[in-house]
Amino acid sequence: MRSVGGVDGLMKNIKDATGTVDEPREVELGHGITETLLGARPLLDDPALQRYVNEVGRWVAQQSERPLLPWRFGVNDSEHVNAFAAPGGYVIVTRGMLRVVRNEAELAGVLGHEVAHVVRKHHLNALRKGAWVNLLGAGAAAGTAGEQGGELVEALVGPTKELYARGLDKDDEFEADRIGVVLATRAGYDPWGLPAALQTLGTLKTDDPYLALLFKTHPNPGARLDELGVAMAANFDGFQGLPTNADRYLAATKKMRSTPPQAESKK
């Protein structure tokens, strides 16, 4: 029988971590991945706004197939226009994205898109498919039998950065758009919130460095709108008139919007 240590042990443990992962391990991995992605840009120091985004996000997440995950939402102190999710129920939206979003229905659509990535385990599946070769050199500690989750998270740092810099498959993004619209509508919001946010993104300059990562990791807004248009054409006409809660959104983001954009690395 071959040893479970070394390369064999590493492969077995990484497969366990990203394949048939149980929910506690998924949450643990998601926590580590989120810390890695936050990096030098911490969460925004605005407790009221953080509570508001969590209230909206958790309500949207309650409409999903995984309402019992310990969902956590946060606003990253970054002017880059982006939002991202990590396994286990972690969702981050940047301050830059909140400057683009105009009302609560649009925010619900953006957060619903990220919730969908978690529900469908898009990032876990991508790591499972792409991590093998990258993780072979992660270190002997990560390959020992009975290793702890923290060591697995550390081993996944490199592949995590690579995945989130490259982005998911476009089909995953289109699926997340479709599900995000459904979740926002179930939560009682105008279903055209996400399409409206995509329309706004489509009007922004493509060479804006603060948009570079979003456009690199997602299909262009026009393509996403085309896909959503087909999906929504026959199913959402009866939901016109649901609220956008623009006033509540503007009140919740007033402090943030009154603060001038801060210079930061655009890479």
Side-chain angles (χ1 to χ4, degrees), residues 4-266:
V4 295
V7 171
D8 286 349
L10 174 60
M11 296 294 283
K12 177 183 183 299
N13 287 315
I14 295 303
K15 184 175 182 180
D16 290 343
T18 58
T20 58
V21 58
D22 60 17
E23 191 168 291
R25 179 59 63 86
E26 180 186 356
V27 173
E28 185 177 23
L29 286 169
H31 180 266
I33 288 170
T34 302
E35 287 189 340
T36 297
L37 294 173
L38 286 173
R41 303 303 304 184
L43 294 176
L44 183 67
D45 184 15
D46 188 339
L49 180 60
Q50 299 289 357
R51 286 193 297 272
Y52 168 74
V53 171
N54 267 276
E55 289 172 0
V56 175
R58 287 175 177 174
W59 176 237
V60 172
Q62 292 307 300
Q63 318 308 315
S64 77
E65 300 167 23
R66 305 185 72 189
L68 299 182
L69 276 177
W71 292 95
R72 298 172 178 87
F73 297 80
V75 181
N76 193 16
D77 189 10
S78 173
E79 292 297 338
H80 290 267
V81 179
N82 210 348
F84 59 86
Y90 293 87
V91 176
I92 300 294
V93 59
T94 66
R95 184 179 60 201
M97 179 63 83
L98 292 185
R99 294 189 191 278
V100 171
V101 170
R102 297 171 298 178
N103 58 55
E104 194 170 299
E106 293 187 17
L107 174 62
V110 170
L111 297 180
H113 172 99
E114 301 304 331
V115 167
H117 282 315
V118 176
V119 170
R120 288 292 190 258
K121 299 185 178 182
H122 287 157
H123 294 96
L124 278 177
N125 291 335
L127 285 169
R128 183 184 61 199
K129 290 186 290 186
W132 312 119
V133 174
N134 295 331
L135 287 170
L136 285 175
T144 58
E147 69 178 321
Q148 299 301 308
E151 293 171 326
L152 273 172
V153 169
E154 185 176 353
L156 285 165
V157 167
T160 291
K161 290 182 176 180
E162 179 183 340
L163 171 62
Y164 282 81
R166 183 182 70 245
L168 295 164
D169 293 341
K170 66 178 182 179
D171 288 342
D172 288 344
E173 296 296 346
F174 291 144
E175 181 181 40
D177 281 343
R178 294 192 298 270
I179 295 173
V181 166
V182 171
L183 297 181
T185 306
R186 287 178 181 172
Y189 293 105
D190 183 337
W192 279 269
L194 179 58
L198 291 174
Q199 285 181 327
T200 301
L201 288 172
T203 67
L204 302 179
K205 295 180 179 179
T206 57
D207 60 351
D208 184 336
Y210 285 122
L211 289 165
L213 183 59
L214 179 69
F215 287 164
K216 177 182 177 183
T217 57
H218 292 75
N220 71 68
R224 294 172 68 182
L225 281 168
D226 288 344
E227 290 283 332
L228 271 179
V230 173
M232 296 178 69
N235 299 308
F236 288 87
D237 288 344
F239 296 97
Q240 291 183 355
L242 289 176
T244 63
N245 294 343
D247 290 344
R248 186 160 63 185
Y249 179 80
L250 293 176
T253 59
K254 181 178 179 179
K255 178 181 176 182
M256 180 210 72
R257 290 182 293 104
S258 66
T259 303
Q262 302 176 13
E264 62 181 279
S265 172
K266 299 181 179 63

